[in-house]
DNA sequence: AGGCTTTGTGCAACTAGTTGCACAACCATG
DNA sequence: CATGGTTGTGCAACTAGTTGCACAAAGCCT
């Protein structure tokens, strides 16, 4: 149950409409909590019904008209509660590692190309994060907010670094592998 | 759609009953693809209906009686197909990073204790992986299968290492943080 | 004016994963 | 031999996330 809290956080950072939220989920927030616009609109409806957010008053909030939301005190309180509450880490699910393990049994035929593709994707993502770091966290700015946000970005950078290295290593191993590994 | 393939892999490594599979998911496989016994039984039923696996013949396969499954050729072919097929990385969702970002907005009150708890959990997991590595991958054994499996375990070790370091770093930052960070 | 694309909101149906519980068989033990 | 725990299988209901599509409004192009 984290999507509503992701939305509350985003709205506290800046009141937004559904589409604006969607864009921000595609950029920064989605790096560790992705969501489609359909999910977001549905959740905005629920949050409004619960009194956690409200639509900013506009002229004519009809279908096809932009509608912005802001967080109400109850929403902020809920987010605060949720943030402080103990939570067990949710189980990871990683398809690529699963496929590697399957490849150990049914053979590596065909997987190598996809590893290379993933390597490229992770390199690209890493470059993007490093760009953001350079732009948004120049040395010197170190308010509490900046430090926390930088910490989160560092996690993203280090995770992407890990994946690029692991994939590169995996591809090296593949190069050394004997031809037939079925069975 | 990866659970059936996780099960096929596990069954190819060794034919098993539902409960045995559940145990193996709790141990090794679950480290990158977790599943409950309910999920597993449901999926075993589907895989059997599709002709990908079959129950090993036993005396009386009644309710409460152990029932083992093995993979049929069709199942192996499907796993092979799936392993080789290109797949986009699925979006990550990490609650802890989300909470950190929320904390930057609503304050860090209370989250520190949970960071410490997570640090302990990750340290424990890391120790467990390293134990497995020492036991199952002594230097010298390097068949294709061993190399691939070792690669997967290395991913686990490196990820846990990353998290312990990141959490330790985060806790250091917290120690230096000014008292009031709300707003 | 007519159609064509972009922006923006949203419903409906489906798939995957979680939670809670039921129940049979087996095994120990007082 | 009853009772109580453990092993093992499984259904049902729910929650979260995905996919596909509908449709309104506004701007652009000819």
């Amino acid at each position: 149950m984290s999507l509503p809290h992701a939305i509350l956080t985003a709205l506290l950072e800046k009141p937004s409409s559904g589409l604006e939220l969607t864009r921000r989920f595609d950029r920064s927030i989605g790096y560790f909590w992705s969501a489609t616009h359909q999910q977001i609109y549905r959740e905005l409806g629920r949050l409004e019904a619960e009194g956690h957010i409200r639509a900013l008053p506009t002229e004519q909030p009809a279908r096809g008209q932009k509608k912005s939301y802001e967080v109400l005190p109850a929403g902020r309180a809920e987010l605060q509660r949720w943030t402080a509450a103990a939570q067990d880490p949710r189980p990871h699910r990683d398809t690529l590692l699963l496929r590697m393990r399957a490849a150990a049994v049914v053979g590596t035929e065909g997987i190598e190309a996809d590893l290379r593709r993933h390597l490229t994707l992770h390199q690209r993502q890493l470059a993007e994060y490093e760009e953001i770091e350079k732009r948004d966290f120049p040395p010197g700015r170190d308010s509490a907010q900046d430090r926390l946000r930088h910490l989160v970005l560092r996690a993203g950078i280090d995770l992407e670094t890990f994946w690029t290295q692991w994939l590169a290593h995996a591809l090296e191993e593949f190069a050394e592998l004997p031809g037939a590994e079925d069975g």
Side-chain angles (χ1 to χ4, degrees), chain A:
Chain A
M1 262 261 311
S2 307
L3 177 58
H5 302 100
I7 292 178
L8 286 173
T9 305
L11 287 181
L12 278 172
E13 289 173 354
K14 180 175 177 351
S16 311
S17 69
L19 195 66
E20 282 161 359
L21 278 177
T22 304
R23 296 220 180 92
R24 293 172 59 200
F25 268 78
D26 285 345
R27 292 190 294 104
S28 57
I29 298 176
Y31 296 153
F32 49 90
W33 204 275
S34 68
T36 60
H37 76 272
Q38 291 93 330
Q39 261 181 293
I40 289 169
Y41 282 114
R42 185 175 18 177
E43 205 59 49
L44 283 172
R46 286 181 194 154
L47 285 166
E48 191 177 22
E50 283 167 355
H52 286 162
I53 62 174
R54 66 160 188 172
L56 288 175
T58 49
E59 320 78 60
Q60 36 191 6
R63 198 186 176 91
Q65 281 304 97
K66 196 150 84 172
K67 198 163 68 174
S68 276
Y69 292 90
E70 68 176 357
V71 178
L72 295 171
R76 172 182 276 265
E78 165 57 23
L79 183 59
Q80 209 153 21
R81 188 203 60 71
W82 178 82
T83 305
Q87 261 181 269
D88 284 332
R90 47 165 42 212
H92 345 68
R93 297 211 162 86
D94 190 290
T95 320
L96 206 55
L97 292 178
L98 189 54
R99 284 165 72 199
M100 284 296 276
R101 178 133 176 184
V105 182
V106 299
T108 53
E109 201 72 36
I111 200 180
E112 202 174 335
D114 208 35
L115 289 184
R116 236 182 290 279
R117 197 173 63 91
H118 279 240
L119 177 54
T120 307
L121 292 173
H122 284 293
Q123 282 168 340
R124 201 169 294 161
Q125 187 68 68
L126 177 55
E128 196 177 321
Y129 284 166
E130 283 175 337
E131 197 52 46
I132 294 175
E133 186 178 40
K134 203 161 41 170
R135 194 184 61 227
D136 293 355
F137 301 98
R141 303 183 55 209
D142 55 351
S143 73
Q145 280 219 7
D146 283 332
R147 276 161 174 258
L148 288 173
R149 283 207 247 267
H150 194 175
L151 214 45
V152 173
L153 181 59
R154 280 309 314 177
I157 290 175
D158 291 350
L159 278 170
E160 292 302 330
T161 303
F162 155 74
W163 279 111
T164 55
Q165 286 175 356
W166 185 84
L167 283 164
H169 182 203
L171 285 166
E172 279 171 34
E173 286 272 15
F174 270 56
E176 295 173 22
L177 233 49
E181 57 284 290
D182 274 57

